[in-house]
Amino acid sequence: MSDSISLQRLKNLKQLLLVEREEDYLQYKEEFLKASIEKRRQKGVTWFPIKINSEELGYADLIQLEVERTTHLDFAHQFSSGKNVTIFSNQANNEVFELQGTIKASQKNKLKIIAHTDELPDWCYEGKLGLNIQFDDNSYNEMQKALDTVITSTSGRIKELREKLEGAESFAFEKEEDSVLFPNLNLSQNKAIRKALSAKDVAVIHGPPGTGKTTTLVHAILKCVQTENQVLVCAPTNTAVDLLSEKLNELGLNVLRLGHPARISEELMNTSVDGKLLNHKNYYEIKNLRKTAEEYFKMASKYKRVFGKQDAQQRAAFYSEARNCLKEARVIEDYILDDLFSTAHVICCTPVTSSNRQLNKKKFNTLFFDEASQALEPMVWIPLLKCNRLILAGDNHQLPPVVKSLIAQKDGLQVTMLDRCIERNEAVSLLNKQYRMNVPIMHFSNVYFYNHQLEADKSVANSVLVNDEEDGFYNLPIEFIDTAGCSFDEEQNPETLSSYNRGEGNILFNHLKQLLAWYKQHAITVKIEIGIISPYKEQVGWLKENYTHYEIDLETISELRIKTIDGFQGEECDVIYISLVRSNEQQIIGFLNDIRRMNVAITRAKKKLVVIGDSATVGNHPFYKAFIDYCEKNKYYRSAWEFVE
């Protein structure tokens, strides 16, 4: 590909990103600017009114609040850890005040929020307060900046990587080191590590479901650190970054987890910048200064409402003293931070966080990027600008990145860097042994997506709930329960426009009751994990609200999880139920067209997979037709009439 063609593709990508940002913002405006507070409460994107239960000085000298909603307590909400929010106040004179923050922890009716301020403004103590989920422009800005740098580079390593990734030049590799061998890893995993370490430009660790991609990646990082001293590790979600940080920490590496404290799991705070500051030998000096600042802060906060000039001056003086102490503490912090960033073996963060001030002047030889199937191409470029080579890990047949604009999706924004690199066979190492599913569950995806290349490890190949061939359907590894002809028509929530299907939910829970009764009859003492998945949030909500009505015997269950497909990424259960929801005369299947998501869903099951759907609606799609044919051929097919009560 010529340089001008590659530059044009990247320029087009930049325009598609603008289209996507506009669509994202339009959807946000639809929810907030055009909707009443009552509608926003129903959609779960606004709490109003709220009260502040407590405030304290938290990480990084920011105020940590506990807030609670005081009405509409039964409404579901979308507030979750890591999301940016706006605290607002509607004053009597119609003036609106706002304060930004990030959710640290979320419960049904309470949130812990780290406010982006070192003191609360006066209006927080006056009038009614509310809370909105905020539109976050930062990721778009960072992706645009990264693309600008890539497009305008006329020399140096960025230009070289751009040309190689565009296919103008082949990827280069050094001779692989045969001495690199981890006895606890299989042949394909060791080969993938050797290939990755030999790459001069780009390598791909292609990890289908259950093949130990994360395990392989962390061992590659472990080996790389031995020669490079420090590497950069990224993933598109905080959950994925936390998992990598945890695994690398367990291997004994010095891990520095970057990110807003609200977005880092509590278990990993000891690997975060703030956690390492707390354990540093010089932290006692900072602690004393912060303690003094806290005392001044408490004295100042007593003046919550200012009634006179003298009170205002006194409060200002206390805040001034508090700030002076914090300023002195920050000088010491800077010395400690230099030490932390220079001694860490691995720096782990999301791509956007890699652009922060603390990494501005740092350069790395290698970037490891996990879950690359979920990252837009410009997102990968943000950290790659600091690095000489790239190791991608992921599976292009699993969850794609979220693209809200149909135009941007159609014109190629959803095509990831992983998608394009996997087409270059010289860079790819496939992990082909999987350790999650029995052979029948693995087989369909293996044929449909992976060209028969996967092999089930002997530890899982024949794993079933109960090995009893004479006991009917419940011991089978797969069941497709067909609702065709049952008149279980889908419904749509007019507010969320998400679909649900009560009839399917009823069949699912009746089947689960019978399965657990059968399991108990076999006097099995080992409890089983049950996962219930649907592509539709409305169906997930209905299932969560109604499962208690079915008197399900929880004694035999170690854990019951009900989530969307995205929520189950990276997870697994002994038994997985999937409710497809769609049932209509027009054969419209919506989200079900995304077969990469369905591949994720059907590969979460270890011992048994139960799929419930309407063959008359979904059966014309090649993927679902192939799955139904597979079930019929192997006698995994059942009619929903067997479970109608």
Side-chain angles (χ1 to χ4, degrees):
M1 186 182 290
S2 71
D3 197 40
S4 61
I5 294 174
S6 70
L7 285 176
Q8 188 56 52
R9 191 192 72 82
L10 290 165
K11 287 174 182 176
N12 289 341
L13 196 60
K14 191 168 180 287
Q15 289 303 311
L16 292 177
L17 204 57
L18 290 173
V19 172
E20 172 65 8
R21 188 245 175 236
E22 184 63 26
E23 177 61 30
D24 198 1
Y25 185 63
L26 283 173
Q27 290 186 21
Y28 170 82
K29 275 172 56 175
E30 191 73 30
E31 288 187 337
F32 286 98
L33 303 185
K34 294 183 180 179
S36 65
I37 282 182
E38 184 58 36
K39 286 279 179 67
R40 300 201 311 260
R41 278 194 290 218
Q42 290 174 6
K43 288 185 176 181
V45 294
T46 291
W47 281 7
F48 183 84
I50 61 169
K51 65 176 181 177
I52 298 176
N53 289 338
S54 64
E55 58 179 281
E56 59 187 54
L57 199 59
Y59 292 111
D61 308 326
L62 301 175
I63 301 297
Q64 180 169 296
L65 308 172
E66 182 186 85
V67 305
E68 181 177 3
R69 59 175 168 178
T70 55
T71 63
H72 301 79
L73 304 184
D74 293 329
F75 280 23
H77 66 79
Q78 298 181 34
F79 293 90
S80 58
S81 176
K83 284 193 175 180
N84 289 328
V85 293
T86 302
I87 301 169
F88 65 89
S89 172
N90 291 330
Q91 302 291 344
N93 59 2
N94 291 326
E95 193 172 3
V96 178
F97 297 95
E98 293 183 339
L99 174 66
Q100 295 181 355
T102 305
I103 299 173
K104 174 68 179 173
S106 169
Q107 297 176 21
K108 184 178 180 183
N109 293 309
K110 290 181 181 179
L111 301 172
K112 285 188 178 176
I113 296 172
I114 296 179
H116 299 173
T117 182
D118 58 3
E119 63 178 275
L120 286 183
D122 292 340
W123 58 261
C124 285
Y125 308 103
E126 303 164 0
K128 284 187 175 180
L129 299 179
L131 198 66
N132 285 329
I133 290 176
Q134 183 185 349
F135 182 75
D136 186 5
D137 222 6
N138 190 39
S139 60
Y140 289 108
N141 292 337
E142 292 300 333
M143 284 191 284
Q144 290 284 359
K145 279 162 55 179
L147 282 179
D148 283 338
T149 302
V150 175
I151 290 167
T152 57
S153 292
T154 57
S155 62
R157 186 57 178 159
I158 295 171
K159 179 177 182 290
E160 290 174 3
L161 283 172
R162 181 187 74 205
E163 291 177 352
K164 284 177 179 285
L165 284 162
E166 292 299 325
E169 297 179 27
S170 298
F171 296 138
F173 293 86
E174 296 175 342
K175 187 177 184 302
E176 292 182 20
E177 289 188 36
D178 294 335
S179 60
V180 175
L181 178 67
F182 291 97
N184 57 321
L185 301 185
N186 66 43
L187 180 62
S188 68
Q189 290 172 323
N190 274 298
K191 279 184 174 180
I193 292 171
R194 288 197 289 270
K195 181 84 166 179
L197 296 178
S198 71
K200 289 185 176 181
D201 309 302
V202 177
V204 174
I205 298 174
H206 182 189
T211 55
K213 169 182 63 67
T214 302
T215 300
T216 305
L217 187 64
V218 296
H219 280 80
I221 293 167
L222 176 67
K223 194 67 182 174
C224 188
V225 165
Q226 293 175 8
T227 55
E228 295 183 11
N229 298 321
Q230 190 175 78
V231 299
L232 181 61
V233 174
C234 288
T237 67
N238 282 288
T239 302
V241 177
D242 280 346
L243 177 61
L244 285 168
S245 301
E246 179 187 344
K247 298 292 185 187
L248 291 165
N249 197 42
E250 288 172 357
L251 288 176
L253 292 176
N254 181 357
V255 178
L256 187 60
R257 168 70 164 99
L258 303 190
H260 194 292
R263 296 191 176 97
I264 301 172
S265 69
E266 292 289 344
E267 295 78 12
L268 286 165
M269 283 308 296
N270 65 320
T271 67
S272 71
V273 173
D274 293 297
K276 286 181 178 287
L277 273 170
L278 288 172
N279 295 315
H280 198 276
K281 60 183 179 181
N282 296 118
Y283 183 72
Y284 75 95
E285 299 175 54
I286 297 173
K287 186 177 180 181
N288 290 336
L289 287 164
R290 282 174 60 85
K291 185 177 179 182
T292 305
E294 181 73 31
E295 289 168 358
Y296 281 123
F297 176 81
K298 285 179 179 176
M299 288 188 282
S301 65
K302 290 177 182 177
Y303 296 87
K304 288 183 177 178
R305 302 188 64 155
V306 178
F307 295 102
K309 184 178 180 182
Q310 189 174 354
D311 287 341
Q313 289 174 341
Q314 185 63 64
R315 186 176 74 162
F318 285 139
Y319 274 133
S320 178
E321 289 297 330
R323 289 192 191 96
N324 287 337
C325 290
L326 292 174
K327 187 176 179 181
E328 193 176 338
R330 284 191 197 104
V331 173
I332 302 171
E333 274 187 24
D334 286 341
Y335 286 113
I336 297 176
L337 286 173
D338 285 342
D339 182 42
L340 294 179
F341 275 85
S342 62
T343 57
H345 295 134
V346 184
I347 295 178
C348 294
C349 58
T350 59
V352 173
T353 304
S354 73
S355 66
N356 74 8
R357 178 180 60 86
Q358 292 161 325
L359 287 181
N360 266 352
K361 295 179 181 178
K362 287 195 76 72
K363 279 284 185 183
F364 303 85
N365 187 51
T366 307
L367 166 64
F368 289 90
F369 201 107
D370 195 16
E371 302 297 357
S373 69
Q374 297 181 56
L376 296 173
E377 181 178 337
M379 191 65 79
V380 181
W381 274 112
I382 299 172
L384 185 52
L385 296 179
K386 303 176 185 298
C387 305
N388 288 322
R389 66 172 180 163
L390 170 66
I391 313 299
L392 294 167
D395 179 11
N396 60 327
H397 298 302
Q398 293 191 61
L399 291 183
V402 175
V403 177
K404 296 183 177 180
S405 165
L406 294 177
I407 294 172
Q409 191 177 119
K410 177 175 168 287
D411 290 348
L413 184 60
Q414 203 170 34
V415 177
T416 66
M417 194 177 284
L418 179 72
D419 291 329
R420 298 197 307 110
C421 289
I422 274 184
E423 293 177 0
R424 315 258 300 266
N425 288 332
E426 79 270 20
V428 183
S429 299
L430 175 73
L431 306 181
N432 64 5
K433 182 170 281 194
Q434 69 86 16
Y435 299 87
R436 176 184 297 156
M437 300 159 272
N438 58 39
V439 170
I441 295 173
M442 177 193 76
H443 181 78
F444 180 75
S445 283
N446 192 19
V447 172
Y448 202 91
F449 294 104
Y450 304 108
N451 196 28
H452 298 269
Q453 294 179 90
L454 302 187
E455 173 191 345
D457 185 70
K458 62 182 180 181
S459 62
V460 299
N462 301 306
S463 180
V464 290
L465 286 178
V466 177
N467 196 5
D468 186 348
E469 293 181 5
E470 297 180 1
D471 221 299
F473 275 97
Y474 294 114
N475 68 329
L476 290 177
I478 301 174
E479 293 179 53
F480 176 73
I481 302 176
D482 192 356
T483 65
C486 294
S487 299
F488 292 159
D489 293 343
E490 68 194 57
E491 300 174 69
Q492 189 181 65
N493 184 318
E495 293 291 338
T496 63
L497 302 181
S498 181
S499 299
Y500 64 105
N501 193 315
R502 303 180 209 212
E504 272 192 18
N506 187 51
I507 295 296
L508 190 156
F509 287 129
N510 286 340
H511 184 284
L512 177 58
K513 271 179 66 177
Q514 293 180 31
L515 174 68
L516 294 176
W518 171 84
Y519 192 74
K520 199 170 185 179
Q521 284 168 9
H522 282 74
I524 302 167
T525 56
V526 179
K527 293 189 175 185
I528 53 175
E529 301 168 316
I530 305 289
I532 300 176
I533 303 176
S534 178
Y536 291 90
K537 287 182 180 178
E538 201 66 34
Q539 182 75 343
V540 168
W542 188 93
L543 292 166
K544 284 181 176 179
E545 288 172 14
N546 288 278
Y547 84 91
T548 54
H549 302 160
Y550 289 81
E551 300 178 353
I552 293 169
D553 183 4
L554 298 176
E555 285 184 18
T556 53
I557 300 177
S558 61
E559 191 173 0
L560 175 63
R561 286 174 258 167
I562 306 175
K563 298 182 181 182
T564 61
I565 296 173
D566 291 44
F568 253 100
Q569 171 76 345
E571 297 186 17
E572 58 188 33
C573 282
D574 296 314
V575 181
I576 287 288
Y577 284 87
I578 302 172
S579 173
L580 297 180
V581 175
R582 301 313 295 261
S583 180
N584 56 74
E585 291 181 0
Q586 297 78 26
Q587 298 178 333
I588 297 169
I589 66 172
F591 284 155
L592 301 187
N593 276 301
D594 189 348
I595 61 173
R596 288 167 63 168
R597 276 190 162 76
M598 289 310 302
N599 184 39
V600 171
I602 64 178
T603 56
R604 300 306 98 192
K606 294 193 286 186
K607 298 178 180 179
K608 187 175 184 67
L609 171 67
V610 182
V611 181
I612 304 167
D614 181 353
S615 63
T617 299
V618 304
N620 281 337
H621 189 287
F623 173 84
Y624 298 98
K625 183 181 187 305
F627 180 74
I628 294 167
D629 289 347
Y630 173 63
C631 290
E632 288 182 329
K633 179 182 177 182
N634 291 280
K635 300 181 180 178
Y636 301 150
Y637 178 91
R638 302 185 78 169
S639 169
W641 287 111
E642 297 177 51
F643 302 97
V644 174
E645 290 185 357

